[in-house]
PDB file of all heavy atoms in Angstrom:
ATOM      1  N   GLY A  60      37.365  45.181 -34.651  1.00  0.00           N
ATOM      2  CA  GLY A  60      37.317  45.935 -33.381  1.00  0.00           C
ATOM      3  C   GLY A  60      36.892  47.330 -33.559  1.00  0.00           C
ATOM      4  O   GLY A  60      36.545  47.815 -34.681  1.00  0.00           O
ATOM      5  N   ARG A  61      37.027  48.167 -32.539  1.00  0.00           N
ATOM      6  CA  ARG A  61      36.624  49.536 -32.531  1.00  0.00           C
ATOM      7  C   ARG A  61      37.758  50.423 -33.199  1.00  0.00           C
ATOM      8  O   ARG A  61      37.488  51.556 -33.485  1.00  0.00           O
ATOM      9  CB  ARG A  61      36.374  50.058 -31.110  1.00  0.00           C
ATOM     10  CG  ARG A  61      35.119  49.436 -30.556  1.00  0.00           C
ATOM     11  CD  ARG A  61      34.867  50.050 -29.128  1.00  0.00           C
ATOM     12  NE  ARG A  61      33.859  49.305 -28.444  1.00  0.00           N
ATOM     13  CZ  ARG A  61      32.571  49.527 -28.490  1.00  0.00           C
ATOM     14  NH1 ARG A  61      32.111  50.499 -29.304  1.00  0.00           N
ATOM     15  NH2 ARG A  61      31.696  48.808 -27.878  1.00  0.00           N
ATOM     16  N   THR A  62      38.912  49.795 -33.383  1.00  0.00           N
ATOM     17  CA  THR A  62      40.060  50.494 -33.977  1.00  0.00           C
ATOM     18  C   THR A  62      40.743  49.590 -34.966  1.00  0.00           C
ATOM     19  O   THR A  62      40.509  48.394 -34.926  1.00  0.00           O
ATOM     20  CB  THR A  62      41.055  51.003 -32.888  1.00  0.00           C
ATOM     21  OG1 THR A  62      41.627  49.899 -32.219  1.00  0.00           O
ATOM     22  CG2 THR A  62      40.409  51.986 -31.914  1.00  0.00           C
ATOM     23  N   GLY A  63      41.675  50.143 -35.701  1.00  0.00           N
ATOM     24  CA  GLY A  63      42.495  49.345 -36.574  1.00  0.00           C
ATOM     25  C   GLY A  63      42.002  49.236 -37.997  1.00  0.00           C
ATOM     26  O   GLY A  63      40.777  49.487 -38.251  1.00  0.00           O
ATOM     27  N   ASP A  64      42.888  48.865 -38.893  1.00  0.00           N
ATOM     28  CA  ASP A  64      42.599  48.719 -40.271  1.00  0.00           C
ATOM     29  C   ASP A  64      42.322  47.286 -40.553  1.00  0.00           C
ATOM     30  O   ASP A  64      42.814  46.377 -39.911  1.00  0.00           O
ATOM     31  CB  ASP A  64      43.782  49.239 -41.160  1.00  0.00           C
ATOM     32  CG  ASP A  64      43.983  50.722 -41.018  1.00  0.00           C
ATOM     33  OD1 ASP A  64      42.973  51.458 -40.886  1.00  0.00           O
ATOM     34  OD2 ASP A  64      45.135  51.131 -41.112  1.00  0.00           O
ATOM     35  N   SER A  65      41.647  47.008 -41.634  1.00  0.00           N
ATOM     36  CA  SER A  65      41.347  45.646 -42.100  1.00  0.00           C
ATOM     37  C   SER A  65      42.571  45.060 -42.712  1.00  0.00           C
ATOM     38  O   SER A  65      43.321  45.773 -43.458  1.00  0.00           O
ATOM     39  CB  SER A  65      40.228  45.636 -43.204  1.00  0.00           C
ATOM     40  OG  SER A  65      38.986  46.070 -42.582  1.00  0.00           O
ATOM     41  N   PRO A  66      42.904  43.790 -42.406  1.00  0.00           N
ATOM     42  CA  PRO A  66      44.048  43.124 -42.995  1.00  0.00           C
ATOM     43  C   PRO A  66      43.980  43.124 -44.495  1.00  0.00           C
ATOM     44  O   PRO A  66      45.023  43.237 -45.219  1.00  0.00           O
ATOM     45  CB  PRO A  66      43.964  41.712 -42.421  1.00  0.00           C
ATOM     46  CG  PRO A  66      43.246  41.844 -41.180  1.00  0.00           C
ATOM     47  CD  PRO A  66      42.253  42.931 -41.399  1.00  0.00           C
ATOM     48  N   LEU A  67      42.822  42.959 -45.055  1.00  0.00           N
ATOM     49  CA  LEU A  67      42.573  43.033 -46.532  1.00  0.00           C
ATOM     50  C   LEU A  67      42.039  44.450 -46.837  1.00  0.00           C
ATOM     51  O   LEU A  67      40.974  44.803 -46.345  1.00  0.00           O
ATOM     52  CB  LEU A  67      41.525  41.958 -46.940  1.00  0.00           C
ATOM     53  CG  LEU A  67      41.262  41.850 -48.440  1.00  0.00           C
ATOM     54  CD1 LEU A  67      42.510  41.501 -49.223  1.00  0.00           C
ATOM     55  CD2 LEU A  67      40.177  40.872 -48.692  1.00  0.00           C
ATOM     56  N   GLU A  68      42.799  45.245 -47.521  1.00  0.00           N
ATOM     57  CA  GLU A  68      42.474  46.590 -47.732  1.00  0.00           C
ATOM     58  C   GLU A  68      41.076  46.848 -48.270  1.00  0.00           C
ATOM     59  O   GLU A  68      40.400  47.784 -47.878  1.00  0.00           O
ATOM     60  CB  GLU A  68      43.495  47.237 -48.704  1.00  0.00           C
ATOM     61  CG  GLU A  68      43.410  48.730 -48.749  1.00  0.00           C
ATOM     62  CD  GLU A  68      44.511  49.305 -49.644  1.00  0.00           C
ATOM     63  OE1 GLU A  68      45.624  48.824 -49.649  1.00  0.00           O
ATOM     64  OE2 GLU A  68      44.240  50.350 -50.277  1.00  0.00           O
ATOM     65  N   ALA A  69      40.605  45.954 -49.128  1.00  0.00           N
ATOM     66  CA  ALA A  69      39.295  46.110 -49.727  1.00  0.00           C
ATOM     67  C   ALA A  69      38.113  45.734 -48.815  1.00  0.00           C
ATOM     68  O   ALA A  69      36.957  46.043 -49.031  1.00  0.00           O
ATOM     69  CB  ALA A  69      39.166  45.286 -51.022  1.00  0.00           C
ATOM     70  N   ALA A  70      38.451  45.054 -47.696  1.00  0.00           N
ATOM     71  CA  ALA A  70      37.424  44.583 -46.755  1.00  0.00           C
ATOM     72  C   ALA A  70      37.001  45.747 -45.863  1.00  0.00           C
ATOM     73  O   ALA A  70      37.831  46.350 -45.183  1.00  0.00           O
ATOM     74  CB  ALA A  70      37.927  43.453 -45.969  1.00  0.00           C
ATOM     75  N   PRO A  71      35.690  46.058 -45.767  1.00  0.00           N
ATOM     76  CA  PRO A  71      35.272  47.132 -44.869  1.00  0.00           C
ATOM     77  C   PRO A  71      35.525  46.789 -43.424  1.00  0.00           C
ATOM     78  O   PRO A  71      35.450  45.620 -43.024  1.00  0.00           O
ATOM     79  CB  PRO A  71      33.768  47.295 -45.211  1.00  0.00           C
ATOM     80  CG  PRO A  71      33.350  45.981 -45.821  1.00  0.00           C
ATOM     81  CD  PRO A  71      34.566  45.452 -46.501  1.00  0.00           C
TER      82      PRO A  71
END
Side-chain angles (χ1 to χ4, degrees):
R61 293 182 191 274
T62 61
D64 293 325
S65 295
L67 181 63
E68 189 175 327

